[in-house]
Amino acid sequence: MDELQDVQLTEIKPLLNDKEHDIETAFGVVHVTMRGTPKGNRPVILTYHDIGLNHKSCFNAFFNFEDMQEITQHFAVCHVDAPGQQEGAPPFPSGYQYPSMDELAEMLPTVLMHLNLKSFIGIGLGAGAYVLSRCALSHPDLVEGLVLINVDPCAKGWIDWAASKFSGWTTNIVDIVLAHHFGHEELQANLDLIQTYRLHIAQDINQDNLQLFLTSYNSRRDLEIERPVLGINENTAKTLKCPALLVVGDNSPAVEAVVECNSRLDPTKTTLLKMADCGGLPQVVQPGKLTEAFKYFVQGMGYMPAASMTRLMRSRTHSSSSVGSGESVRSRSHTSNHGEGSAGTPEGIDLQDAPQTMEVSC
């Protein structure tokens, strides 16, 4: 937690080449902020925020973190705000039909075309992670890699729906959104952070627009992805084709959802990062650790080969869900950590033909 300083949600370091765009798509107008100039055929980093946030309140702390400058000097950054969620957004007219989560994903190819971008590495939180995943499934040629924080691949179940309906009668939308982001322990312990985001959600985001975005997210359908298994369905399984880094704090309410998503992805292309002493907003609370993980992820894609790695302990982890069962949500994999900078196979790990998932603990 020592990396958490003052969380600045709305003010951003002024950059002369920041350009804002309101892009018309088949499903409405989307607000986009472009930072930097695309570097040749290199992908851009494209971000998508969660409910109750915008690109500034979601990603300021991360992209303004000093070590991230080593990365952003090599990549342009495209911040996407969901319709009506950007700073100063006007209310939608009465009767406005907010886009579904699938339609939000279908806006992104138009955004890329408008900005003359060929592909992206996505960083999404919660609802934003879902949108980016849906885009990658529909347009795999546009997505080179995904960092998915607190991603939930499942449709909202009827129990969850009933609970949200009940809570909607008894609790205001700010409390509902806070409970989405933060677990009980963090709500009780990290009061300054919670108060900062409580005020932001209540004062900086149009409440009617927020309700529409929340309703859209709660109406999402299952991503319908499944883990490819060699010799069974490796050619027919519907799953992400690009490398994916799944991120979740150990105190986040999204832990089970992220583990479930991991069980449905190709273990040869997926890394699961579990952050200790961290809750629902790892990019805010632990930007240094996430930056290092992102550097490692980008290195694995063939970019920034000289980037330094110092903090992360890496481990090869047998995926307990290699056979693709739903039991993975509550099962634990067996992990063996080894020292920084070591090469080869960690001690105590029996390499077999079964798929393995890289799990990073920090």
Side-chain angles (χ1 to χ4, degrees):
M1 296 289 187
D2 56 346
E3 290 167 349
L4 177 61
Q5 300 172 356
D6 292 337
V7 180
Q8 297 186 7
L9 302 182
T10 56
E11 293 303 317
I12 205 159
K13 292 180 179 178
L15 293 175
L16 295 177
N17 56 354
D18 271 26
K19 295 181 179 179
E20 297 190 31
H21 306 263
D22 288 309
I23 300 175
E24 183 73 45
T25 76
F27 304 103
V29 177
V30 62
H31 183 81
V32 175
T33 302
M34 196 69 196
R35 182 182 299 184
T37 304
K39 312 295 193 294
N41 291 325
R42 185 165 290 195
V44 298
I45 297 172
L46 185 146
T47 74
Y48 213 113
H49 60 87
D50 202 355
I51 56 174
L53 307 174
N54 54 41
H55 84 267
K56 292 183 178 181
S57 57
C58 191
F59 294 111
N60 248 15
F62 184 51
F63 280 91
N64 287 345
F65 189 73
E66 183 178 1
D67 289 354
M68 266 300 287
Q69 310 318 306
E70 181 183 357
I71 297 175
T72 54
Q73 68 180 343
H74 296 286
F75 296 92
V77 180
C78 178
H79 293 296
V80 179
D81 287 311
Q85 312 305 306
Q86 72 270 23
E87 205 171 54
F92 290 113
S94 178
Y96 173 79
Q97 182 65 44
Y98 199 83
S100 67
M101 297 300 287
D102 288 12
E103 290 169 342
L104 292 176
E106 286 302 315
M107 290 178 166
L108 296 182
T110 303
V111 168
L112 296 182
M113 186 180 303
H114 180 89
L115 298 174
N116 198 28
L117 305 174
K118 294 182 179 180
S119 63
F120 67 84
I121 299 170
I123 304 178
L125 175 74
Y130 180 99
V131 169
L132 295 182
S133 299
R134 178 63 68 189
C135 180
L137 291 169
S138 300
H139 306 279
D141 54 317
L142 299 181
V143 186
E144 292 202 21
L146 288 176
V147 178
L148 304 174
I149 308 170
N150 299 345
V151 64
D152 189 344
C154 303
K156 194 175 182 69
W158 72 268
I159 294 177
D160 299 320
W161 179 87
S164 67
K165 281 290 185 183
F166 181 74
S167 64
W169 294 330
T170 60
T171 311
N172 64 47
I173 191 171
V174 176
D175 290 328
I176 293 172
V177 172
L178 286 174
H180 165 75
H181 289 301
F182 305 107
H184 179 74
E185 180 179 336
E186 195 168 17
L187 286 170
Q188 299 297 319
N190 205 339
L191 299 181
D192 289 342
L193 179 71
I194 302 305
Q195 183 64 9
T196 297
Y197 277 90
R198 177 182 294 280
L199 292 175
H200 166 66
I201 296 165
Q203 299 176 2
D204 299 333
I205 304 293
N206 183 290
Q207 301 295 283
D208 292 333
N209 294 0
L210 172 57
Q211 181 64 65
L212 291 172
F213 187 25
L214 174 60
T215 299
S216 178
Y217 181 59
N218 283 343
S219 302
R220 68 190 181 278
R221 62 191 181 98
D222 195 288
L223 285 177
E224 298 176 340
I225 54 178
E226 60 177 330
R227 168 162 289 187
V229 179
L230 187 64
I232 299 177
N233 67 343
E234 71 270 22
N235 296 321
T236 59
K238 177 185 176 183
T239 194
L240 295 177
K241 305 300 183 185
C242 63
L245 171 63
L246 307 185
V247 181
V248 67
D250 60 359
N251 292 322
S252 169
V255 170
E256 284 198 355
V258 174
V259 172
E260 169 65 17
C261 187
N262 179 59
S263 74
R264 301 191 192 186
L265 296 179
D266 184 343
T268 66
K269 297 182 179 180
T270 306
T271 301
L272 175 60
L273 171 60
K274 294 180 180 178
M275 284 192 165
D277 301 319
C278 185
L281 298 179
Q283 80 284 5
V284 172
V285 176
Q286 299 280 11
K289 289 181 179 179
L290 186 57
T291 296
E292 284 212 66
F294 187 51
K295 284 182 187 178
Y296 180 76
F297 181 69
V298 170
Q299 278 185 311
M301 297 174 62
Y303 300 110
M304 297 180 59
S308 60
M309 299 296 297
T310 57
R311 294 194 188 105
L312 294 181
M313 302 285 285
R314 292 183 292 150
S315 63
R316 293 297 294 182
T317 304
H318 281 293
S319 173
S320 57
S321 54
S322 295
V323 295
S325 76
E327 297 173 356
S328 62
V329 176
R330 291 178 178 82
S331 63
R332 293 186 177 272
S333 49
H334 303 289
T335 303
S336 176
N337 289 333
H338 60 109
E340 297 177 11
S342 60
T345 304
E347 292 183 13
I349 294 295
D350 178 22
L351 291 180
Q352 300 174 355
D353 292 334
Q356 296 176 329
T357 298
M358 174 72 83
E359 181 176 314
V360 183
S361 301
C362 62

